[in-house]
Amino acid sequence: MFRQSLLWTSCLALLAGPVACAQTQGGKPVAKSAVSAAPKLGAGIESRTLKNGLKVIVWPDHDIPNVVLYNWFRVGSRNEYPGITGLSHFFEHMMFNGAKKYGPGEFDRVMEANGGANNAFTSEDVTVYMDWFPRSALDVIFDLEADRLQHLAIDPKVTESERGVVYSERRSAIDNDNMGALMEQVQATAFVAHPYQFPVIGWPSDIESWRIEDLQRYYKTYYAPNNATLIFTGAVTPAEIFALAEKYLEPIPSQPAPEPVRTKEPEQQGERRIVVKKQAQAPLIQLAYHGISGKDADVEALTLLLSILTNGDSSRLHRRLVEEERAALRVNTHFSPGFDPSLVWVYADLPPGADVAKVEGLLTEELARVVKDGVSDAELKKARNITLSQFWRSLETNNGRGRALGAAETFRGDYRQLFDAPARYERVTRDDVRKVAARIFNSQRRTVGWLVPADAQAATPDSRKEASR
């Protein structure tokens, strides 16, 4: 959830050394020695851990006089429990609502007056805050961040106001959005033990009943410097950032490490089904398969597999369901690698009156075909080209670098793994893709969700669990 009322062309020479790609300049070949002497991607990055446990990583780039800050807190809905679901997302809002030195509205006002802007997002695993600003505002930004990280004001009136904002956001993103409503129910059905079952935005009754002491305890536990990683990219030097961090942020005391999430989702032993009935013009279908974590060796193979399935008009599921059978309007896949094994989604928007059972059969048939026969060389090459192109494009900007660096450090445990990603994608073989398809697309480990119009007369099999919403 974002805080609002509510990844250059692939050239592995930068990582793999000379002769890994065409070497030209102005149409003329470049000597190998010149290529070898080119700076390695990520050169100049430095990291330091402050005395209070806050890790600071700096990627200098002085092309323009701007700076990007990403602050990654290792807290999301997986750290919640019944009664306080949605608190991680709530703090995404609260962190902009005043502290000791800068009161309500001052964080945004002061940042904007200094040429800056900000935003934030929350997921199952993390809450991340972003600032974009000119380097001339460095001291001001550090002062703003230090104030809210140490002295956030949890005022009852502000809390009630933001509670209303979050509830309104929930109505917009879940209650009044059929895709969101179905996804929430499917996820809550797919997980029976692990806190990934909780919606990031929270259950309605919890949003209504958070207490001030819940907020205070959550803030002290998870907004501690030893639970965060601070990323700076842009027109800065590591030395000046470390000096400012020591001045403004190191005095903030560390806290005992949060309790780890020990629950592991038990092996699913049979397909689960849910039918949601709502006012709708057309049905929806979602298939959610238990997947893998962000550190799993199969992440790259799975990423390429999903690209083969739904990326572009020549992708397998689009070609079969949208163009050939005309059974769906759109088909998509989604996988967000996190700390623990999360879901791999396959979902489709259907036309009014569509035969949902037929669409489910077509999806299941195509996924089974990949498991049995694998993919072609051409499909794998296309998926790899698209993925690497997106990877390099993401690193063109300070913002993309900040996000990518933070994700690698947070989910893989070392920001340097970002620069190994192209080589990992190059190593994926057709057999790797087929094996990961067999690993994931097992009908005994999936949850099938249908959303059907409330007045639809179509029969649903008795084996399907209905949840009227």
Side-chain angles (χ1 to χ4, degrees), residues 304-363:
L304 297 179
L305 169 61
L306 298 185
S307 179
I308 290 167
L309 290 174
T310 58
N311 197 333
D313 291 349
S314 63
S315 61
R316 287 200 176 194
L317 297 183
H318 176 89
R319 204 170 58 240
R320 178 73 188 279
L321 276 82
V322 177
E323 296 188 359
E324 296 175 6
E325 301 286 346
R326 298 186 180 275
L329 301 175
R330 281 175 296 276
V331 187
N332 288 292
T333 53
H334 174 71
F335 167 63
S336 181
F339 292 130
D340 302 313
S342 55
L343 297 176
V344 177
W345 297 81
V346 182
Y347 52 96
D349 297 338
L350 311 185
D355 185 339
V356 189
K358 176 184 177 181
V359 175
E360 182 184 326
L362 292 171
L363 288 171

Side-chain angles (χ1 to χ4, degrees), residues 25-75:
Q25 184 174 17
K28 298 179 180 180
V30 177
K32 289 183 180 180
S33 59
V35 175
S36 301
K40 181 181 179 182
L41 180 63
I45 296 177
E46 293 186 29
S47 68
R48 180 176 297 180
T49 300
L50 304 183
K51 293 177 181 178
N52 59 5
L54 175 65
K55 187 165 188 177
V56 183
I57 305 174
V58 186
W59 188 346
D61 187 320
H62 295 272
D63 284 349
I64 58 174
N66 287 357
V67 185
V68 173
L69 177 159
Y70 266 78
N71 200 352
W72 292 71
F73 286 92
R74 293 179 290 278
V75 58

Side-chain angles (χ1 to χ4, degrees), residues 260-326:
V261 176
R262 295 187 293 269
T263 303
K264 298 183 185 300
E265 183 67 18
E267 185 75 16
Q268 187 171 328
Q269 296 179 326
E271 183 180 80
R272 299 171 187 155
R273 292 183 168 270
I274 184 166
V275 175
V276 172
K277 290 187 176 180
K278 287 192 65 177
Q279 291 298 319
Q281 293 182 325
L284 300 170
I285 184 170
Q286 298 174 357
L287 311 181
Y289 295 83
H290 282 285
I292 58 181
S293 73
K295 283 188 173 183
D296 196 285
D298 279 339
V299 164
E300 287 76 25
L302 177 57
T303 300
L304 297 179
L305 169 61
L306 298 185
S307 179
I308 290 167
L309 290 174
T310 58
N311 197 333
D313 291 349
S314 63
S315 61
R316 287 200 176 194
L317 297 183
H318 176 89
R319 204 170 58 240
R320 178 73 188 279
L321 276 82
V322 177
E323 296 188 359
E324 296 175 6
E325 301 286 346
R326 298 186 180 275

